[in-house]
Amino acid sequence: KAMCSGRLQTGLLVAGYFVYLLVGAAVFQALERTAEKQEKMAAAQMKEAFLQSFRQLTVVEMEQFMKNLTEAIQNGVYPVGNESQLEESNWDFSNSFFFAGTVVSTIGYGTLHPRTVGGQIFCVFFALFGIPLNIVFLHRVGKMLSLLCKKLGKFLYEKGMRKKKIKFLTLLFFLTTGILVFLCLPSVFFQITEGWSYSEGIYFAFITLSTIGFGDYVIGKQSGRNYFSYYRVLVAIWILFGLAWIALLFNL
């Protein structure tokens, strides 16, 4: 009964956690997408006006153009290419889910953030309840993984191995397995998908899973590259389980 109850609690926690992220992604998308489209249209008009009259611009007008351009880039709007890019949104569902994941995991790259008043207020409450939920989720996943450690240790103990050696081998096993699954293999994936070097993929993976999150490397931002649907959703899930692996290492 206790085992069934524990599994039920774990199932409900996992389901509730992902429902929380999905709802958050949908709300962020609804609040931010319209405002972003307006900002993109304004940036496109600014670019068009500049191209038509850049030879007659004064120093003051040129400074204002550079200021507007800098603000647009800081807000995630890149006024390059043709008008078809106006239809692409940083707040589609995949990006919104990725953003929700980076909020509750406290990574916070800083390259995508809410601009509307409603989005900013919702982000405060979403993080207020989401960060503790994320901690509980990581603790439960880490607890499940620690059971694997105990089973491995019990198996080695039955084989006649000493406890100190068992602890060392258990830690070594989960360390090497985690490095392979959460650092080495994803870096190959990022190398192919993003066009980064392998060392850049390793760097991004470590900076992300350590929750440092500088924001100098962010997935899905390379202009001219075609990313498959829900690419960022998969990366968000990789982040969540990668954080659980790191929590397990701390426990060990």
Side-chain angles (χ1 to χ4, degrees):
K1 287 184 178 180
M3 185 177 293
C4 290
S5 177
R7 288 178 179 176
L8 179 62
Q9 288 178 359
T10 300
L12 290 174
L13 176 62
V14 172
Y17 181 75
F18 279 99
V19 167
Y20 189 82
L21 291 180
L22 290 170
V23 171
V27 174
F28 281 122
Q29 183 182 18
L31 291 173
E32 296 295 327
R33 196 167 190 174
T34 302
E36 183 204 33
K37 190 172 183 179
Q38 293 174 351
E39 200 161 3
K40 283 191 173 185
M41 291 177 65
Q45 292 172 357
M46 178 188 67
K47 176 185 175 182
E48 185 65 26
F50 174 78
L51 291 175
Q52 290 179 359
S53 60
F54 72 96
R55 293 182 180 177
Q56 290 80 33
L57 289 178
T58 64
V59 175
V60 175
E61 290 172 333
M62 189 65 182
E63 288 290 334
Q64 185 62 42
F65 172 80
M66 296 301 295
K67 181 181 177 182
N68 293 339
L69 180 63
T70 302
E71 289 180 356
I73 293 173
Q74 288 175 342
N75 294 332
V77 177
Y78 302 91
V80 295
N82 52 39
E83 294 181 359
S84 64
Q85 290 185 322
L86 290 174
E87 301 301 321
E88 300 176 3
S89 176
N90 289 324
W91 291 101
D92 59 18
F93 190 78
S94 179
N95 287 338
S96 299
F97 185 88
F98 181 78
F99 173 75
T102 59
V103 169
V104 298
S105 61
T106 69
I107 294 173
Y109 292 112
T111 54
L112 186 65
H113 52 275
R115 296 289 300 168
T116 64
V117 174
Q120 291 172 346
I121 293 175
F122 175 74
C123 187
V124 170
F125 287 98
F126 181 76
L128 187 64
F129 294 100
I131 292 172
L133 177 60
N134 183 65
I135 293 171
V136 173
F137 173 78
L138 294 180
H139 176 72
R140 180 54 65 96
V141 175
K143 194 174 180 180
M144 291 171 62
L145 292 175
S146 66
L147 292 176
L148 295 176
C149 291
K150 290 180 180 179
K151 288 182 179 180
L152 178 61
K154 186 178 179 180
F155 173 78
L156 295 175
Y157 183 75
E158 289 175 351
K159 294 294 182 181
M161 195 173 291
R162 291 180 300 173
K163 288 187 177 181
K164 286 187 178 181
K165 192 173 183 181
I166 290 173
K167 288 182 179 180
F168 173 75
L169 289 177
T170 302
L171 177 61
L172 183 64
F173 172 76
F174 278 92
L175 179 63
T176 53
T177 303
I179 288 174
L180 179 66
V181 173
F182 294 108
L183 291 178
C184 296
L185 292 180
S187 298
V188 175
F189 177 71
F190 294 135
Q191 184 181 16
I192 296 170
T193 309
E194 298 289 344
W196 298 336
S197 66
Y198 185 73
S199 60
E200 288 173 323
I202 287 282
Y203 170 77
F204 168 77
F206 176 78
I207 292 299
T208 296
L209 295 184
S210 61
T211 69
I212 295 172
F214 288 127
D216 49 349
Y217 286 84
V218 182
I219 54 119
K221 287 293 185 179
Q222 299 289 329
S223 59
R225 300 190 75 89
N226 294 321
Y227 299 101
F228 61 88
S229 299
Y230 300 106
Y231 165 53
R232 285 196 157 197
V233 172
L234 292 176
V235 175
I237 294 172
W238 160 74
I239 290 173
L240 297 176
F241 284 95
L243 292 175
W245 165 66
I246 289 179
L248 172 65
L249 286 182
F250 287 149
N251 288 334
L252 290 176

